Structure formats: C-alpha cells, structure tokens
Amino acid sequence: MKILLAVDGSTYSKKMLAYLSTHEALLAPGHQYTVFNAQTPLPPRAKAALGKATVEAYHAEEANKVLSVAAKFLKRHGIDAAVSWKVGPAGSLIGKLADEGEFDLLVMGSHGHSALGNLVMGSVATQVLAHCKTPVLLVR
C-alpha cells in the first residue's frame, strides 16, 4: 500500500503518528510511505524584503524541522520514508499530491473543530477532503 502522511509539527500530527504505531496494518515495512509538509507562504512584502534565497532557506529549514521528527519516528519502526514539502495552501497541496501521487491512503491529524469552527476558521482537513479523491484517515 502507498501511504501519504501529512504532518505539520503539531500535537495532532504526533497523535496521528502514535495512532499508526498501535495499528500494525497501517505501520508495516511492506508499505511505501511519503511524509509531506505544506509550508505557509510568507506575505509578498516579507518575501520582497528578505529576498528569494533567504525565503527559500527559511521554508526549507522549517519544513525539515517538521519532517525530521516524523522520519525519525518511522525509522525507529523500521520504515524508510520519502519526505517532501512545498510552499502553498496546505489543503489543496495535500489533496493534489494524494491524487497525483496515486496514493492508496492519506493519513493526517485533525484538530476536530466543530462545523461552526470550520466555517469561521477554515480547516485543512475540510480543504483536503474537498480537493482529494484518495481515501483519508483523520486522527483526532
């Protein structure tokens, strides 16, 4: 099975990884894993003031902070996962990657906001579900 793990460094991502560790069917060396992180773009003025190279270095550093934790966790369980990151809106990036990468399953943590909370604040999980045909496992 080809599994995409969307992580953001939050406690919800950590809960998702903990959930995987208790379910042998989901965390097994026979599967192929990709760990993905979406970086929020900096405002245009900040990008202009800092310069392209500085902004790219910033995003790479922030993504690697998040991805390294998940990769180390998987390594402890005997899994060598691919890692990837992009800059842009998380929901659409995750959904697009899940479909275009032909993943069998997308696993991610969710804050579990109410319907009103999603309406007011938005939800990456809601956006992923709107942009994705791949089956999604949300862990709260």
Side-chain angles (χ1 to χ4, degrees):
M1 186 182 313
K2 203 171 164 188
I3 300 174
L4 176 62
L5 305 175
V7 296
D8 63 2
S10 69
T11 57
Y12 303 98
S13 286
K14 292 173 185 169
K15 285 182 182 181
M16 178 266 295
L17 293 172
Y19 179 87
L20 288 178
S21 69
T22 62
H23 292 79
E24 288 181 22
L26 293 174
L27 192 63
H31 300 311
Q32 179 182 350
Y33 296 89
T34 299
V35 182
F36 179 74
N37 175 252
Q39 287 288 304
T40 304
L42 293 177
R45 284 186 172 186
K47 290 196 300 192
L50 295 172
K52 184 177 180 178
T54 302
V55 171
E56 287 176 359
Y58 166 77
H59 285 303
E61 183 180 332
E62 292 301 307
N64 287 329
K65 285 180 191 174
V66 173
L67 294 169
S68 66
V69 171
K72 285 177 189 174
F73 170 85
L74 293 170
K75 192 68 121 176
R76 283 195 305 266
H77 287 85
I79 295 167
D80 189 23
V83 295
S84 175
W85 64 273
K86 287 188 178 184
V87 176
S92 60
L93 285 176
I94 294 166
K96 186 177 179 181
L97 177 61
D99 288 344
E100 289 179 358
E102 298 180 352
F103 287 90
D104 299 306
L105 180 65
L106 163 60
V107 185
M108 59 187 288
S110 174
H111 293 253
H113 293 302
S114 66
L116 177 61
N118 287 342
L119 180 65
V120 175
M121 295 178 283
S123 165
V124 172
T126 302
Q127 293 170 16
V128 167
L129 293 171
H131 289 95
C132 183
K133 295 177 184 159
T134 302
V136 178
L137 173 61
L138 295 175
V139 179
R140 290 182 18 176

